[in-house]
Amino acid sequence: MSIPLCYKPPGLLLHSPRTRGPLLCNHSSSFSKQEQTHKNWTGLKFIPGKKLLKDLSTWGIGGPCNYFIQVLDQTQLVSAIRFCHEHSIRFVIIGKGSNCLFDDLGFDGCVILNRIEFLKKEEPGLYRVGSGFRFNRLGLHCSNEGFTGLEFAGGIPGTVGGATYMNAGANGQETADAIHSVDIITMDGRLHRLNRTDLNFGYRSSPFQDMQELAAITAVKFKLHPSGSAKRRQCEYMERRRISQPVGEQSAGSVFRNPLDVGVAAAELIEKAGLKGFRVGGAMVSKMHANFFINCGGSTSQDMLDLLDLVKEKVDQKFAVQLKEEILYVHPYCNDVKSKQR
């Protein structure tokens, strides 16, 4: 999944006209013509109109964004957010792009690529990690050092910030179980540290998803426990993933959340509906794992949206179960989107 992270919490909580996953963005206008002639504000380099979002997404789908900037530390991220906020520019922050579906039209605003990638071991089992650090790399590192709690992360192709925002999990483990504290930036540019005891997580949900003043997660501190079997367990999880998931294909990880109180995983429902290998244009339900949709060659965003719709409809018709997306669809024009309750 792509917690990586693709969000901009204040402003309007919007859906596309096709009732896709939520896009959280500012509803104001984009850069003015005068501002478009500049590439540098407050020491930051904004790249205009050239960056293709397909290059920032594991699905390999997406057109150009109006402006693009890469931030390497908390100071740069705060400056970028403040600038966009003060100049009424809509923006979206992403990590590895493994949980996002961008539109072929791109994004009418600024895309901020989070590359805050530090890893600091404060004491045995206590790690403070930048939100742009790769979550699978963190899982491997901690397991190799003999600490349990993040073995599952070795198979999650996102970032620490995205995993925290979505409360990523697998193999009976969840990100929230290992969190000690979370550092965030609010829309007024202030920094806050939130302790785990003050945060309520749920299945693939976190308090950050409903935090109206949240601008970004900047760092997360994890508290893990010693375990002589952590490395072995992590290797077992990786092998299980290798033989059961389309590793190496262009996918966004699991596209639907497992339904609660049903006792059947989303992948099983999709498979029993006879949809493994079903294709719409260049988008296809994986033949290996039915909850993975892959870009099997030239998929457009509309192909993927249509495939999502079709699968949801077929599963609902056959089992009376309404699947909910785990991925986030980023609509190109916030002003053209109607808010709709999912």
Side-chain angles (χ1 to χ4, degrees), residues 1 98 134-137 152-159 163 168-170 238 241:
M1 64 126 252
S98 58
R134 293 196 176 193
F135 198 49
N136 53 7
R137 183 180 167 193
F152 78 98
I156 306 294
T159 60
M238 288 294 291
R241 177 176 181 268

Side-chain angles (χ1 to χ4, degrees), residues 8-317:
K8 191 285 189 185
L12 299 180
L13 174 58
L14 301 173
H15 296 72
S16 79
R18 304 177 58 82
T19 68
R20 275 317 143 243
L23 165 62
L24 299 155
C25 68
N26 190 287
H27 61 283
S28 52
S29 61
S30 190
F31 289 87
S32 68
K33 290 183 179 180
Q34 181 179 3
E35 288 166 339
Q36 289 177 9
T37 62
H38 299 281
K39 293 185 180 180
N40 191 293
W41 297 278
T42 63
L44 298 176
K45 184 177 181 181
F46 290 79
I47 302 173
K50 297 180 180 179
K51 194 67 174 181
L52 294 176
L53 299 180
K54 69 178 183 179
D55 297 331
L56 303 175
S57 166
T58 58
W59 249 333
I61 298 173
C65 54
N66 282 11
Y67 275 77
F68 169 79
I69 185 170
Q70 177 173 282
V71 296
L72 303 178
D73 56 39
Q74 180 174 279
T75 300
Q76 291 183 351
L77 179 57
V78 169
S79 295
I81 290 171
R82 280 178 174 168
F83 182 87
C84 290
H85 182 57
E86 291 171 4
H87 291 77
S88 299
I89 301 164
R90 63 172 64 89
F91 67 92
V92 61
I93 302 170
I94 68 169
K96 196 169 179 291
S98 58
N99 207 40
C100 301
L101 174 59
F102 293 112
D103 198 278
D104 292 322
L105 294 176
F107 181 66
D108 184 31
C110 182
V111 172
I112 302 174
L113 181 62
N114 180 0
R115 285 292 180 260
I116 305 176
E117 299 179 338
F118 68 86
L119 171 62
K120 181 180 180 181
K121 185 176 180 180
E122 297 188 342
E123 61 183 63
L126 190 64
Y127 300 87
R128 185 168 181 267
V129 193
S131 56
F133 196 89
R134 293 196 176 193
F135 198 49
N136 53 7
R137 183 180 167 193
L138 176 64
L140 291 172
H141 180 85
C142 296
S143 298
N144 286 338
E145 290 201 340
F147 292 97
T148 184
L150 292 175
E151 293 93 327
F152 78 98
I156 306 294
T159 60
V160 165
T164 301
Y165 185 81
M166 291 299 298
N167 190 20
N171 305 113
Q173 294 181 322
E174 287 187 332
T175 307
D177 295 335
I179 289 177
H180 182 271
S181 63
V182 181
D183 294 347
I184 67 169
I185 301 173
T186 51
M187 277 306 297
D188 56 7
R190 296 182 180 182
L191 305 175
H192 302 268
R193 176 164 295 175
L194 306 175
N195 293 322
R196 174 64 181 87
T197 53
D198 300 322
L199 300 170
N200 294 318
F201 289 85
Y203 173 70
R204 301 299 176 269
S205 69
S206 75
F208 305 108
Q209 296 171 12
D210 298 316
M211 196 174 292
Q212 293 300 308
E213 289 304 310
L214 176 72
I217 295 171
T218 60
V220 183
K221 188 177 292 187
F222 295 94
K223 178 65 175 177
L224 307 179
H225 303 284
S227 172
S229 59
K231 185 175 182 178
R232 173 187 58 77
R233 192 158 45 246
Q234 186 272 326
C235 290
E236 290 175 354
Y237 293 164
M238 288 294 291
E239 177 61 17
R240 189 184 307 171
R241 177 176 181 268
R242 186 188 67 80
I243 63 178
S244 65
Q245 298 178 9
V247 179
E249 300 279 4
Q250 287 187 303
S251 80
S254 296
V255 295
F256 294 112
R257 306 176 187 213
N258 288 324
L260 300 176
D261 304 323
V262 175
V264 181
E268 186 176 349
L269 291 171
I270 298 169
E271 183 174 355
K272 287 183 174 179
L275 295 172
K276 255 189 174 182
F278 192 88
R279 181 169 176 168
V280 175
M284 185 177 75
V285 178
S286 171
K287 297 178 181 179
M288 179 176 286
H289 192 300
N291 201 20
F292 281 64
F293 293 7
I294 63 175
N295 178 357
C296 55
S299 174
T300 65
S301 57
Q302 196 60 57
D303 289 342
M304 200 62 73
L305 293 173
D306 289 343
L307 184 60
L308 285 163
D309 268 350
L310 184 144
V311 169
K312 290 176 67 175
E313 181 181 353
K314 294 294 185 182
V315 168
D316 190 20
Q317 289 176 351

